Amino acid sequence: MAIIKHWSDLKRRYSELITETCDHKCPGSNWTLLLLNSILQAVYNKEPMANIPLIEFKAPNKFEKLKVEPSPRVLGTHLDYDNIPQSFYDKKVKMLVVFRNPKDTAVSFFHFYNNNPMLPTYNSWDEFFPDFMAGKVAWGSYFDHAVAWNKHLDDDSILLTTFEDMKEDLEGSIKKISEFYGISITEEQLKQIAEQGTFKSMKENSGKTHGEFGKIVFRKGEVGDWKNHFSEAQSQEMDAKFEECLAGTKLGEKLKYNVHCKW
């Protein structure tokens, strides 16, 4: 794809802040990008890049703007591990990888499809669910994506966190992310970023940060909303898929499936 070729040609910098999110692909990604930009703003007084979408999305003069953007830059993507240019790994560019439990991910993506005029509309959850399980949705299979990233979670240049961990302990998550990127923040900065960076706060300000698109990407941001959508049979089907793909893995343990994905 041409868009990937341009990314490949983009000069890599050691101070890059890359976040790769797999919540297919809604509030977790936007939340994480906003948090990273808040960290840079607090520490370096650096304003977020204006109108720079995820790397795989086209936008006028995007790569020209990125080339002249001063470091550190925040770059976001939903691409699989193998689709990110090898040069990023060779230079050991640090990447924050964010996952959300698969049941809430599916529900979030269902609403993202139906609220986004750029995507097809599903008549019902029951119509969407088999497509999600088969990977017949944008960015493909959640589980294929998870299996690919799980193989590399011990790499020093990769930090894994989850949507659920951020909801449970936002200050702790921000501190961990800052330390991973080698950015020192004071306790005062930490508390301010966390206070302004709750999902509730991000949603309330989404009109300023995302315009009309904010209504699409910031919905509930709750853990466990899948229980309002899944049938028992659908829950069991996903349980079996999780067991097949992620049971006993580092990512599977981190997702706390038995806590967040059981009735």
Side-chain angles (χ1 to χ4, degrees):
M1 293 186 296
I3 195 77
I4 301 301
K5 180 182 185 300
H6 286 304
W7 189 12
S8 240
D9 292 341
L10 188 65
K11 185 177 180 181
R12 272 68 61 191
R13 305 175 187 169
Y14 290 102
S15 56
E16 220 82 86
L17 277 67
I18 294 183
T19 178
E20 198 295 329
T21 52
C22 186
D23 58 354
H24 273 61
K25 300 289 185 192
C26 311
S29 56
N30 290 277
W31 189 16
T32 306
L33 288 168
L34 286 170
L35 285 174
L36 287 176
N37 279 310
S38 294
I39 292 170
L40 295 187
Q41 193 167 25
V43 177
Y44 301 111
N45 197 29
K46 186 178 188 294
E47 292 294 326
M49 289 183 285
N51 300 319
I52 300 293
L54 297 177
I55 291 296
E56 56 266 33
F57 290 168
K58 293 183 179 180
N61 303 316
K62 179 173 72 173
F63 288 96
E64 287 74 13
K65 293 176 183 176
L66 281 172
K67 287 177 181 178
V68 299
E69 178 70 21
S71 295
R73 299 178 297 189
V74 176
L75 305 176
T77 183
H78 293 319
L79 292 174
D80 286 339
Y81 180 92
D82 294 331
N83 288 333
I84 294 176
Q86 182 61 39
S87 54
F88 281 83
Y89 302 121
D90 292 341
K91 280 205 168 185
K92 298 189 181 300
V93 174
K94 289 191 173 183
M95 301 184 190
L96 172 64
V97 179
V98 184
F99 271 82
R100 189 178 190 181
N101 81 72
K103 290 184 179 179
D104 281 330
T105 292
V107 169
S108 181
F109 209 27
F110 166 64
H111 289 288
F112 182 70
Y113 256 80
N114 281 356
N115 292 330
N116 190 337
M118 301 295 290
L119 293 173
T121 299
Y122 283 87
N123 293 321
S124 68
W125 161 253
D126 289 339
E127 181 183 333
F128 174 81
F129 179 77
D131 278 0
F132 181 86
M133 293 300 293
K136 295 179 180 179
V137 290
W139 291 285
S141 165
Y142 172 99
F143 289 100
D144 288 350
H145 197 76
V147 168
W149 277 102
N150 181 70
K151 297 175 183 177
H152 304 280
L153 294 183
D154 290 327
D155 296 358
D156 292 337
S157 59
I158 292 175
L159 174 68
L160 169 69
T161 192
T162 66
F163 182 90
E164 292 78 15
D165 282 350
M166 291 164 63
K167 287 282 291 185
E168 184 177 336
D169 181 11
L170 186 56
E171 281 194 24
S173 296
I174 293 169
K175 185 175 182 179
K176 187 176 181 180
I177 291 167
S178 299
E179 290 174 348
F180 170 69
Y181 283 116
I183 300 174
S184 297
I185 57 176
T186 65
E187 284 297 318
E188 183 180 355
Q189 288 171 331
L190 174 62
K191 291 185 181 301
Q192 183 179 15
I193 294 168
E195 185 177 313
Q196 297 175 353
T198 64
F199 188 89
K200 182 176 182 292
S201 177
M202 295 284 190
K203 182 176 180 178
E204 289 173 351
N205 291 308
S206 62
K208 298 177 183 177
T209 58
H210 290 71
E212 287 299 310
F213 198 63
K215 298 175 183 177
I216 298 174
V217 296
F218 290 95
R219 195 178 65 90
K220 286 187 175 182
E222 295 177 356
V223 179
D225 189 38
W226 65 269
K227 295 176 183 178
N228 298 318
H229 296 74
F230 274 66
S231 68
E232 182 65 36
Q234 289 167 344
S235 180
Q236 291 177 0
E237 182 179 345
M238 188 165 283
D239 291 349
K241 188 68 173 178
F242 179 88
E243 284 294 317
E244 174 190 344
C245 298
L246 293 172
T249 66
K250 183 174 183 176
L251 177 54
E253 181 179 352
K254 184 70 174 176
L255 286 171
K256 300 176 184 175
Y257 193 86
N258 287 336
V259 174
H260 300 306
C261 293
K262 297 292 186 178
W263 293 104

